[in-house]
Amino acid sequence: MLIAHVALPVPIHQLFDYQLVVPAEIGMRVRVPFGKRQAIGIIVKIDQQSDLNINNLKSIIDVVDQTPLFTDSIWKLLNWAASYYHYPLGEVLFHAMPILLRQGRQATKDEVKQWQLTKLGHEIDLNSLSRAPKQKLLLSSLRNNTDHQIDFNKTIYCELQKKHLIEQIVEPSDINQWQNDFSANTTSIKLNDQQSYAVTTLNKQNNHFGVFLLEGITGSGKTEVYLNILTDILSKGKQVLVLVPEISLTPQTIKRFKQRFNAPIDILHSGLTEKQRLAVWLRSKNGDNAIIVGTRSALFTPFKNLGMIIIDEEHDSSYKQQEGWRYHARDLAITLAKIANIPILLGSATPSLETLNNAQNNKYQLLQLTERAGSATLAKQSILDLRGLVLTAGLSYPLIEQIRKHLSNNNQVMLFLNRRGFSPLLICHDCGWIAECPRCDRPYTYHQKQQKLSCHHCDSSRIIPTQCPKCGSSHLIPIGFGTEQLEKQLEILFPNIQISRIDRDTVSKKGVLDDYLQKIQQGGAHILVGTQILAKGHHFPDVTLVGIVDVDGALFSSDFRATERFAQIYTQVSGRAGRETKAGEVILQTYHPDHPLLKILLTKGYQEFAKVTLQERRQTQLPPFSYQALIRAADRNNQYAPMFLQHIHDWLKKNVNHNLWQVGPTQAIQPKKAGYNRWQLLLQHSNRQILQHILDQLLTNIEKWVETSKVRWSIDVDPIDL
């Protein structure tokens, strides 16, 4: 009798055995009895062995698939990842598939209806639809391939259809192979020597595995290098996966891809319906698309003939999943490329120190772009000492004057402040009471426009009290400033200038960010206010001044990675200025003008900072010169979590003699979140394999302990937030 060992989406590190009475293969989904219900599982192994009495095993109810669900490469990757990150295999496998497949939907393609522009829709002047703004916005979005970001009413589509501006087409389940009609449009952009060398190097080695780091300063033309490399890959009929840290970066990228290639391009993002997501998944598996652009979860899309992976902004922390299965998409992408024997290109102006260290050790091949593309030059950078200056919503008088100067020349100004809301604190002026989130023990952020207090840690909110709950005073005042208050002040200072605030509060609705970006691209005097959303890869040709309003908090942090993140965000934000023919200027306001980190960044740049910081990491034996795992635990009574971690600490000390370094148990940097008290235990070792072996040993014991069931716990391998 054959036994199927089935992985189920449950938080248990084990497989479940069933009698296999119908034909099936490894990697197929099956429907099985599980407790009092039926569940969808995936066959991981088939043999004649079971640790249980075979006669007592239940039988598989039916087999959902006719062929294995995943490609060989993705199957190997997911099994390896479950082992490396010490996460239940069932949950890893189900995380990697669209929700409809998790629910048992057949993995077959349906006809997909899509809207496309007619010839008239391409040519008509958008201003002719001024009296129908929603129709105008939809037509503009279709032209820019951003209609997926806005939930348009069906009626609007029908109105444009009546005007013969758009038409609906049905994409059949079997379409012609795109490879037969592929072509790449020639470009008038002439590559410089460094760009040409990068393209030539990659084209010579694109038939086998290799990791390439494209380190290019902001505005050096990394995207143009991507496009030239893709031309060679796609011309061979192979597919390409392009990962980006946030989907907000894709409109400009997709537009350039579509202009360059006559080939089907799919975007994977949170705005897709589950049906649309499944359709992209199936198109990729069948080889019907040429390029997929997506965020970290797009990594698990199966490809029929994957030829290359590109990770744009490889340093970005968004590639690290911070809840549940805490994988790093960049690291898994490199593993996938090795399994599939294809090249992978990591691109960034500010590579992570782990990546730079691998390049220095010749594990990765380094390709550098040290010059800005075209006639653009690097922006002039300066520090503005705030000591003794009067501030207005965080703005000093010298910065205000520089803003006025650049706007008077019909240029654009970008102000960076990584703190949204009106004020980070609401306090009683009479007794000092602070409005705090009871679930997190952290101050609420005051949002004036929405008239609410919001916790930026657990996303809970409440109305603003009219009186202090402690003393009854009505004298409640906001302390500090955020992007909302900065925007208000700028409206007073520059009443005739258009101002766009771009942060999570203003661009949460689909399509809003694209609308902002289109207005900015139209040129003219304009002030951009925003958080790090503004810093990531956007091209603003008319921005000539970047003002960094307040970053002092990032200079003094207990997290050893804080300086790296600051250096990256500073370099990225600075890179928004002077990207084309206009000269750029960057002004950083600070109370600590003599801080050594600022001096290095301003005088010698990110490369020198990285060199110095890597030396410090080596001396202190911090990653990438050691390897870490963070065990987190949380409970509501603040008793079981520290006891649980102390049990782990004591067990490791007694049973492991491999120079393991333990820190803790200690409270997390944010001790309470969403009602749970949080503790952590940091494990560090100089050998990755030994640390993995220790975690394997620990897991075989940890689930047997009584207190394990009383806490929420997780293992974070290679953590980036301590």
Side-chain angles (χ1 to χ4, degrees):
M1 178 183 296
L2 291 178
I3 306 299
H5 305 277
V6 177
L8 294 172
V10 293
I12 303 175
H13 290 266
Q14 72 173 72
L15 301 178
F16 298 86
D17 294 355
Y18 293 89
Q19 293 185 19
L20 184 59
V21 295
V22 291
E25 297 178 38
I26 292 173
M28 288 185 179
R29 288 173 298 156
V30 290
R31 195 180 308 275
V32 298
F34 188 67
K36 297 181 179 180
R37 62 184 177 91
Q38 293 183 3
I40 301 295
I42 298 180
I43 299 177
V44 175
K45 185 179 179 182
I46 298 175
D47 59 24
Q48 297 178 330
Q49 306 293 323
S50 176
D51 294 334
L52 305 173
N53 187 330
I54 293 179
N55 296 323
N56 293 335
L57 296 181
K58 296 179 181 179
S59 298
I60 286 174
I61 297 171
D62 66 74
V63 179
V64 179
D65 300 307
Q66 296 179 347
T67 59
L69 193 64
F70 296 105
T71 59
D72 288 343
S73 295
I74 294 294
W75 180 255
K76 291 176 182 176
L77 174 72
L78 294 174
N79 278 269
W80 180 89
S83 175
Y84 181 80
Y85 289 103
H86 302 276
Y87 205 72
L89 178 59
E91 296 209 316
V92 168
L93 294 175
F94 276 75
H95 178 98
M97 66 175 75
I99 287 178
L100 291 180
L101 294 183
R102 302 177 204 174
Q103 297 171 347
R105 175 76 68 89
Q106 290 293 320
T108 54
K109 289 173 39 174
D110 298 325
E111 288 187 339
V112 179
K113 294 182 179 180
Q114 293 184 335
W115 292 98
Q116 69 175 19
L117 294 166
T118 62
K119 183 179 179 182
L120 180 60
H122 278 289
E123 298 173 349
I124 192 171
D125 185 357
L126 287 175
N127 292 325
S128 65
L129 296 173
S130 296
R131 294 187 177 182
K134 291 185 178 179
Q135 294 179 32
K136 178 182 177 182
L137 178 59
L138 173 55
L139 193 64
S140 172
S141 298
L142 284 166
R143 287 181 177 180
N144 290 294
N145 196 47
T146 57
D147 54 297
H148 57 269
Q149 298 183 2
I150 307 176
D151 289 327
F152 288 103
N153 191 289
K154 186 177 179 181
T155 305
I156 305 174
Y157 285 95
C158 293
E159 290 299 322
L160 288 181
Q161 187 180 35
K162 290 178 183 178
K163 296 176 180 178
H164 305 291
L165 298 178
I166 64 174
E167 59 187 355
Q168 194 170 43
I169 60 170
V170 175
E171 185 180 284
S173 57
D174 292 313
I175 63 173
N176 293 327
Q177 290 294 305
W178 59 267
Q179 292 89 340
N180 298 331
D181 301 316
F182 172 75
S183 62
N185 299 324
T186 56
T187 174
S188 58
I189 299 177
K190 188 177 186 304
L191 300 181
N192 61 34
D193 291 343
Q194 291 179 331
Q195 289 174 314
S196 297
Y197 176 77
V199 172
T200 302
T201 301
L202 273 152
N203 285 345
K204 286 179 180 178
Q205 303 181 49
N206 63 18
N207 291 317
H208 55 81
F209 171 68
V211 185
F212 299 86
L213 170 59
L214 182 64
E215 182 186 18
I217 63 172
T218 52
S220 60
K222 290 186 290 294
T223 303
E224 190 61 35
V225 172
Y226 298 162
L227 291 168
N228 278 269
I229 293 166
L230 292 187
T231 301
D232 191 65
I233 298 288
L234 297 174
S235 65
K236 297 176 180 177
K238 297 180 180 180
Q239 298 163 285
V240 176
L241 171 64
V242 180
L243 292 186
V244 294
E246 291 188 21
I247 210 62
S248 63
L249 301 183
T250 58
Q252 291 178 330
T253 303
I254 293 295
K255 187 175 182 180
R256 291 185 66 178
F257 281 15
K258 284 186 172 292
Q259 290 173 344
R260 183 66 64 90
F261 303 121
N262 175 34
I265 301 171
D266 273 318
I267 314 168
L268 274 175
H269 56 86
S270 58
L272 296 181
T273 66
E274 294 306 327
K275 192 173 182 180
Q276 290 171 327
R277 185 176 291 272
L278 175 59
V280 173
W281 198 90
L282 293 170
R283 281 199 295 273
S284 178
K285 187 178 181 182
N286 293 329
D288 296 336
N289 52 27
I291 302 172
I292 279 188
V293 181
T295 49
R296 60 175 178 259
S297 61
L299 172 67
F300 307 116
T301 307
F303 286 84
K304 184 176 182 179
N305 188 15
L306 183 60
M308 188 176 194
I309 302 173
I310 293 176
I311 313 288
D312 193 32
E313 308 293 352
E314 67 83 28
H315 67 277
D316 200 286
S317 60
S318 300
Y319 287 122
K320 174 73 172 181
Q321 172 73 26
Q322 296 289 12
E323 297 292 337
W325 174 30
R326 291 174 165 83
Y327 66 89
H328 201 302
R330 178 201 62 211
D331 299 344
L332 283 186
I334 293 171
T335 302
L336 175 60
K338 186 174 183 179
I339 292 171
N341 195 29
I342 59 173
I344 178 169
L345 177 62
L346 313 177
S348 176
T350 55
S352 68
L353 297 188
E354 284 83 0
T355 297
L356 281 174
N357 185 58
N358 282 324
Q360 291 176 8
N361 293 332
N362 296 319
K363 292 181 179 179
Y364 303 166
Q365 183 168 343
L366 178 62
L367 303 168
Q368 292 181 306
L369 305 178
T370 59
E371 303 171 357
R372 281 198 158 182
S375 57
T377 57
L378 290 175
K380 173 189 174 184
Q381 301 182 50
S382 60
I383 287 179
L384 203 165
D385 187 353
L386 291 180
R387 290 174 296 185
L389 297 182
V390 176
L391 300 184
T392 306
L395 296 175
S396 64
Y397 177 76
L399 178 56
I400 293 172
E401 286 303 298
Q402 283 300 105
I403 293 172
R404 185 171 283 114
K405 174 184 174 182
H406 283 260
L407 293 175
S408 67
N409 292 325
N410 208 33
N411 292 322
Q412 296 178 348
V413 173
M414 188 175 101
L415 298 176
F416 173 78
L417 174 62
N418 210 22
R419 188 190 306 122
R420 58 192 176 95
F422 188 87
S423 170
L425 206 65
L426 185 70
I427 192 169
C428 174
H429 185 68
D430 294 330
C431 75
W433 169 83
I434 296 174
E436 285 189 340
C437 171
R439 304 174 71 222
C440 301
D441 291 343
R442 288 294 184 94
Y444 279 116
T445 297
Y446 171 50
H447 291 258
Q448 187 183 73
K449 185 175 182 180
Q450 297 170 316
Q451 279 297 293
K452 71 174 185 179
L453 298 174
S454 177
C455 177
H456 291 177
H457 302 283
C458 69
D459 290 329
S460 64
S461 62
R462 58 166 293 186
I463 60 172
I464 299 171
T466 56
Q467 292 180 303
C468 172
K470 186 177 179 181
C471 72
S473 170
S474 59
H475 198 183
L476 303 178
I477 58 173
I479 301 294
F481 57 92
T483 51
E484 184 184 355
Q485 186 177 159
L486 181 56
E487 177 191 29
K488 292 278 185 184
Q489 187 60 43
L490 288 167
E491 289 172 351
I492 297 171
L493 291 170
F494 305 99
N496 300 319
I497 299 297
Q498 189 171 9
I499 300 172
S500 296
R501 173 162 62 95
I502 301 178
D503 57 28
R504 182 178 161 188
D505 298 321
T506 59
V507 299
S508 57
K509 292 183 179 179
K510 296 175 183 176
V512 175
L513 177 59
D514 184 54
D515 190 36
Y516 275 130
L517 296 179
Q518 286 189 35
K519 290 179 181 178
I520 295 167
Q521 295 293 337
Q522 291 173 3
H526 200 132
I527 300 177
L528 292 61
V529 179
T531 57
Q532 58 184 339
I533 296 176
L534 277 176
K536 297 183 177 182
H538 298 295
H539 179 66
F540 303 125
D542 292 310
V543 169
T544 56
L545 172 65
V546 168
I548 302 177
V549 178
D550 179 22
V551 293
D552 282 351
L555 299 176
F556 304 94
S557 171
S558 59
D559 185 353
F560 73 90
R561 296 185 191 274
T563 55
E564 179 183 357
R565 293 195 189 98
F566 170 81
Q568 289 166 343
I569 197 72
Y570 171 80
T571 306
Q572 295 284 342
V573 172
S574 301
R576 300 312 109 198
R579 292 177 65 90
E580 289 200 356
T581 56
K582 298 178 180 180
E585 180 181 7
V586 180
I587 298 176
L588 185 148
Q589 294 189 148
T590 178
Y591 286 101
H592 305 279
D594 298 322
H595 194 285
L597 171 58
L598 297 180
K599 286 189 173 182
I600 290 177
L601 285 174
L602 264 69
T603 60
K604 298 181 180 179
Y606 183 80
Q607 281 188 331
E608 182 63 23
F609 156 80
K611 179 181 177 182
V612 171
T613 307
L614 275 173
Q615 290 174 349
E616 292 175 352
R617 297 265 187 98
R618 184 189 296 274
Q619 292 168 357
T620 54
Q621 281 301 291
L622 288 169
F625 304 101
S626 64
Y627 305 94
Q628 295 180 335
L630 190 66
I631 304 178
R632 294 184 172 95
D635 64 9
R636 291 193 180 276
N637 64 12
N638 209 22
Q639 294 180 8
Y640 294 118
M643 289 171 56
F644 169 72
L645 292 179
Q646 188 63 48
H647 192 163
I648 293 177
H649 177 279
D650 294 342
W651 186 91
L652 290 171
K653 193 172 182 180
K654 179 180 178 181
N655 295 279
V656 175
N657 186 23
H658 292 293
N659 298 318
L660 177 69
W661 186 46
Q662 298 189 66
V663 180
T666 59
Q667 284 191 312
I669 292 178
Q670 184 183 342
K672 190 176 180 182
K673 182 177 180 181
Y676 279 86
N677 300 283
R678 311 189 323 153
W679 291 74
Q680 62 190 38
L681 174 64
L682 179 66
L683 309 181
Q684 181 171 306
H685 202 283
S686 59
N687 186 290
R688 190 198 300 270
Q689 285 71 32
I690 292 178
L691 180 59
Q692 285 287 320
H693 179 65
I694 290 171
L695 292 174
D696 285 334
Q697 288 180 289
L698 179 62
L699 271 176
T700 59
N701 289 273
I702 206 171
E703 293 179 340
K704 302 173 185 176
W705 300 344
V706 174
E707 60 265 46
T708 302
S709 61
K710 298 179 181 180
V711 299
R712 289 184 174 183
W713 67 279
S714 64
I715 295 178
D716 187 355
V717 178
D718 303 328
I720 63 171
D721 286 318
L722 301 181

